[in-house]
Amino acid sequence: MSFREKIHWVALFGLIVAFGWYFLAYPWTIANTQQGVWTAVGMLIPVTIIFLVPMIAGTVFFAIRTPKEANLKEDEREKTIHLRGTHMAYYPLVLGVWANIFFLINGIGFGYSVNILIATLVVSEVIRVGSQLYFYRKGA
Amino acid sequence: MAHIPFSNEIKTLRFLAGEMTQGDLGDKVGVTRQTIAAIEQGRYSPSLEVAFRIAHVFGKSLEDVFRWQDDIP
């Protein structure tokens, strides 16, 4: 398993744990109030920490274990995997933004809108990282 | 995963070149060990440049390393 693939696994784990906690713990009953919006903003701070800490720790750990691989530039296969994953993530991103526009036009509250956008980003990222891991395993 | 319509002799050529490792070949070609493994196993179709570089490492022509499968039009 290459250095970048390991980092992708850490990123996927971090995303699922951090945003899994966010969406499970978020107080949905007050989502559409000013307090709900500020709660979302406040919760994004621990979410960022939960996501970043394993990313930094994982990167340092794997870089120490395999320093040669950590210093290698992306080769053509890795660039292809990178591009294909980003391309796949584009679709849920567009879908989520369009859904948000639709809901906003139809009078959805600001709090729900913020959470739809966060969910859109999370789903897109999970698809990006997940598909890149799939291509690392199965071939690009 | 798309089917790659050619096979390759990289594993044999590595063996004949003093049991060269995938990592050594990767270093010479400028790709990672995992990319050489993926090419060998038919999981990745390399660019023409990398294909030529691999052939060049073994002092072979491209067609000595990569072979189009006859049953594919």
Side-chain angles (χ1 to χ4, degrees):
Chain A
M1 196 186 289
S2 72
F3 173 77
R4 286 191 184 80
E5 188 180 346
K6 289 172 192 161
I7 298 303
H8 274 70
W9 278 112
V10 177
L12 185 66
F13 171 79
L15 270 173
I16 291 170
V17 171
F19 285 98
W21 169 77
Y22 174 89
F23 287 111
L24 287 175
Y26 185 77
W28 293 102
T29 48
I30 60 158
N32 248 349
T33 64
Q34 194 63 28
Q35 193 192 349
V37 173
W38 283 111
T39 305
V41 173
M43 284 176 75
L44 285 177
I45 296 166
V47 160
T48 308
I49 293 167
I50 295 170
F51 178 68
L52 282 182
V53 167
M55 272 301 284
I56 294 166
T59 304
V60 170
F61 176 74
F62 293 124
I64 290 168
R65 282 192 64 182
T66 51
K68 192 181 154 196
E69 278 197 28
N71 291 318
L72 279 178
K73 283 168 78 175
E74 264 188 336
D75 69 13
E76 60 171 44
R77 176 173 153 269
E78 290 172 325
K79 280 180 190 161
T80 305
I81 289 170
H82 191 140
L83 287 173
R84 289 184 74 181
T86 307
H87 177 83
M88 292 192 82
Y90 174 77
Y91 297 105
L93 191 64
V94 168
L95 199 67
V97 170
W98 275 109
N100 210 12
I101 291 169
F102 173 81
F103 288 133
L104 279 170
I105 289 169
N106 285 284
I108 194 178
F110 185 66
Y112 283 130
S113 179
V114 167
N115 280 293
I116 289 172
L117 281 176
I118 293 171
T120 299
L121 274 175
V122 173
V123 170
S124 301
E125 274 297 286
V126 167
I127 288 177
R128 182 182 69 82
V129 177
S131 62
Q132 285 170 347
L133 282 168
Y134 173 81
F135 293 131
Y136 270 116
R137 293 278 96 193
K138 297 291 180 187
Chain B
M1 169 181 144
H3 176 68
I4 292 173
F6 52 82
S7 59
N8 68 77
E9 299 296 324
I10 297 172
K11 194 171 181 179
T12 308
L13 290 167
R14 278 197 302 109
F15 180 77
L16 294 174
E19 300 191 19
M20 182 190 289
T21 65
Q22 291 176 334
D24 290 340
L25 179 57
D27 289 344
K28 288 180 179 13
V29 172
V31 299
T32 62
R33 180 187 66 77
Q34 289 79 12
T35 295
I36 295 295
I39 295 169
E40 263 189 29
Q41 293 159 18
R43 289 189 290 113
Y44 174 64
S45 174
S47 67
L48 200 53
E49 182 186 338
V50 167
F52 268 110
R53 284 183 187 279
I54 291 170
H56 182 73
V57 168
F58 297 119
K60 300 279 182 185
S61 71
L62 199 58
E63 290 209 319
D64 288 335
V65 183
F66 297 96
R67 291 219 182 91
W68 190 262
Q69 289 174 358
D70 291 336
D71 54 332
I72 294 175

